[in-house]
Amino acid sequence: MAAHPELEARARAVAAAPAGEVPSPCVSICRMDPASGLCEGCCRTIDEIAAWSRLDDAGRREVWRRIGQRARLDAAGSGRRAVANRAAGAQE
């Protein structure tokens, strides 16, 4: 998975925004990375992508929080295994 500084910045903006409509993380680069199990464009899992339209604002903000974490881990050089483990909720 490539580093996603734009997604990390967008995740911070969503977290700081007042209540209201939460934008989709989709950037129209829809390819799942087999090593991490995350979309190469938006850093979401397939389950998060599938559930997006049914999530309330709190659920969507939680997905954005995870995206921000994943982007930071990847940018910090933690590698795909750590990002994949975190995406799956596993401990390192």
Side-chain angles (χ1 to χ4, degrees):
M1 184 174 80
H4 294 284
E6 329 70 49
L7 277 176
E8 185 178 354
R10 286 180 65 203
R12 282 194 308 269
V14 167
E21 189 172 329
V22 180
S24 172
C26 183
V27 294
S28 298
I29 301 172
C30 305
R31 281 188 307 268
M32 297 308 288
D33 180 321
S36 68
L38 300 174
C39 175
E40 291 180 11
C42 66
C43 295
R44 288 185 289 174
T45 66
I46 195 72
D47 290 338
E48 291 167 343
I49 293 167
W52 185 262
S53 65
R54 296 184 310 275
L55 293 173
D56 60 12
D57 283 350
R60 289 178 177 189
R61 288 180 187 280
E62 174 59 22
V63 170
W64 267 110
R65 186 189 65 75
R66 287 186 229 135
I67 289 168
Q69 286 180 328
R70 293 169 189 153
R72 281 188 296 281
L73 278 172
D74 197 45
S78 297
R80 289 183 182 187
R81 173 183 254 166
V83 172
N85 287 343
R86 294 282 171 98
Q91 299 293 323
E92 289 183 8

